[in-house]
């Protein structure tokens, strides 16, 4: 309930009007960025003159354009395009990212799940395998960066953002429910693990209901506003929270 009330407060604000001066120069890692996912989130931290470590799975002219745009307001931008297809490569990337600026203050792992990802996955075990694949990099990044924060006595934030198209049928809602449950379990476990060091772990997950409750994150701008709040001083009392996102991801491939 605490998280839902806070979410309603953040959504009631005008994100463009709020400026968190304390976030100037904040060191932020954003994984899963693409021209179609996470640009608004990255831009918000860039506008606060943050130092950004940006991860994308593939280079492209469109990604170059996004990076150039971020560099116009960010203090610094470092781009990684590691594929991270297995645990070894994911761990190697996470270690490099954690030391990019001598440490990090905020980590945002973007994990969009689209129609192509769930096509042909009819059983619960198939969906669980998908979730395991999608959360592999975020979990490695969370643990390695959080451990770095612990060693440097830095009380930071990790926010894992899983988005899916809004469910239109009971079957789609059930699938979203499996994804949400797995994300909730990971979030609770990591939050409890790192809480003694003042490191917060929160998440945004897909809504598993067919009706919008009115307190859901409806677009990427809402997610960006939430991320800024959680990274700021007022948001530092929250950890282990799972916030609802209603149909933020695209249905297309």
């Amino acid at each position: 309930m605490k998280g839902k009330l806070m979410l309603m407060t953040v959504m009631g604000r005008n994100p463009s009007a709020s400026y968190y001066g304390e976030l100037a120069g904040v060191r932020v890692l954003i994984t899963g960025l693409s021209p179609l996912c996470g640009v608004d989130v990255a831009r918000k931290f860039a506008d606060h003159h943050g130092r950004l470590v940006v991860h994308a799975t593939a280079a492209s002219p469109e990604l170059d354009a996004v990076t150039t745009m971020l560099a116009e307001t960010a203090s610094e931008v470092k781009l990684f395009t590691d594929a991270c297809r297995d645990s070894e490569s994911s761990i190697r990337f996470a270690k490099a990212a954690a030391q990019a600026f001598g440490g990090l203050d905020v980590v945002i792992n973007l994990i969009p799940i689209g129609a192509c990802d769930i096509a042909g996955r009819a059983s619960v075990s198939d969906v669980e395998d998908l979730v395991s694949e999608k959360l592999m990099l975020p979990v490695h990044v969370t643990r390695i960066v959080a451990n770095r924060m612990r060693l440097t006595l830095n009380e930071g934030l990790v926010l894992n953002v899983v988005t899916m198209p809004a469910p239109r049928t009971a079957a789609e809602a059930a699938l979203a429910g499996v994804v949400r449950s797995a994300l909730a379990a990971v979030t609770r476990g990591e939050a409890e693990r790192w809480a003694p060091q003042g490191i917060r772990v929160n998440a945004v997950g897909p809504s598993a209901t067919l009706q919008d409750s009115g307190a859901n994150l409806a677009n990427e701008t809402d997610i960006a506003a939430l991320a800024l709040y959680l990274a700021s001083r007022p948001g530092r009392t929250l950890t282990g929270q799972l916030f609802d996102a209603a149909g933020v991801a695209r249905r297309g491939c």
Side-chain angles (χ1 to χ4, degrees):
M1 180 61 69
K2 182 180 181 182
K4 180 158 287 190
L5 289 173
M6 189 280 295
L7 175 57
M8 294 176 70
T9 300
V10 172
M11 290 174 63
R13 297 175 177 174
N14 178 0
S16 63
S18 60
Y19 180 82
Y20 298 106
E22 67 193 270
L23 296 180
V26 65
R27 300 167 298 177
V28 185
L29 167 62
I30 301 175
T31 71
L33 183 74
S34 77
L36 299 176
C37 176
V39 175
D40 285 348
V41 176
R43 185 164 51 192
K44 284 295 182 183
F45 283 97
D47 288 347
H48 287 76
H49 309 298
R51 305 173 71 188
L52 306 186
V53 182
V54 176
H55 169 263
T57 56
S60 69
E62 293 79 11
L63 180 64
D64 290 341
V66 171
T67 305
T68 299
M69 177 197 68
L70 295 175
E72 292 176 354
T73 53
S75 295
E76 190 173 353
V77 178
K78 293 187 177 182
L79 174 64
F80 288 80
T81 55
D82 303 51
C84 299
R85 294 190 179 93
D86 53 31
S87 290
E88 183 178 351
S89 58
S90 297
I91 292 171
R92 184 167 56 247
F93 159 73
K95 288 180 177 179
Q99 300 181 50
F101 295 124
L104 295 166
D105 305 300
V106 176
V107 176
I108 301 173
N109 294 306
L110 303 170
I111 313 138
I113 298 178
C116 290
D117 295 312
I118 61 179
R121 297 181 187 260
S123 68
V124 172
S125 61
D126 288 339
V127 177
E128 290 175 343
D129 288 343
L130 171 64
V131 174
S132 178
E133 294 167 12
K134 291 288 186 177
L135 292 182
M136 178 187 65
L137 176 61
V139 168
H140 285 311
V141 168
T142 297
R143 292 175 179 174
I144 289 171
V145 174
N147 188 56
R148 176 76 177 180
M149 291 175 177
R150 177 185 66 84
L151 293 173
T152 57
L153 303 179
N154 184 19
E155 298 182 353
L157 165 72
V158 178
L159 179 63
N160 294 315
V161 181
V162 178
T163 54
M164 295 177 66
R168 296 182 298 193
T169 66
E172 290 181 355
L175 189 152
V178 173
V179 174
R180 183 180 175 81
S181 295
L183 179 63
V186 169
T187 302
R188 285 194 300 270
E190 295 301 318
E192 291 173 0
R193 178 176 184 176
W194 300 108
Q197 285 75 44
I199 300 165
R200 293 101 56 210
V201 181
N202 294 289
V204 173
S207 174
T209 61
L210 297 177
Q211 292 185 336
D212 188 349
S213 67
N216 293 337
L217 298 161
N219 51 50
E220 206 172 273
T221 301
D222 286 347
I223 293 174
L226 174 65
L228 285 176
Y229 181 88
L230 292 174
S232 70
R233 192 170 292 105
R236 290 176 187 171
T237 60
L238 296 170
T239 191
Q241 297 289 331
L242 178 57
F243 302 95
D244 291 329
V248 176
R250 297 169 178 261
R251 284 198 166 270
C253 296

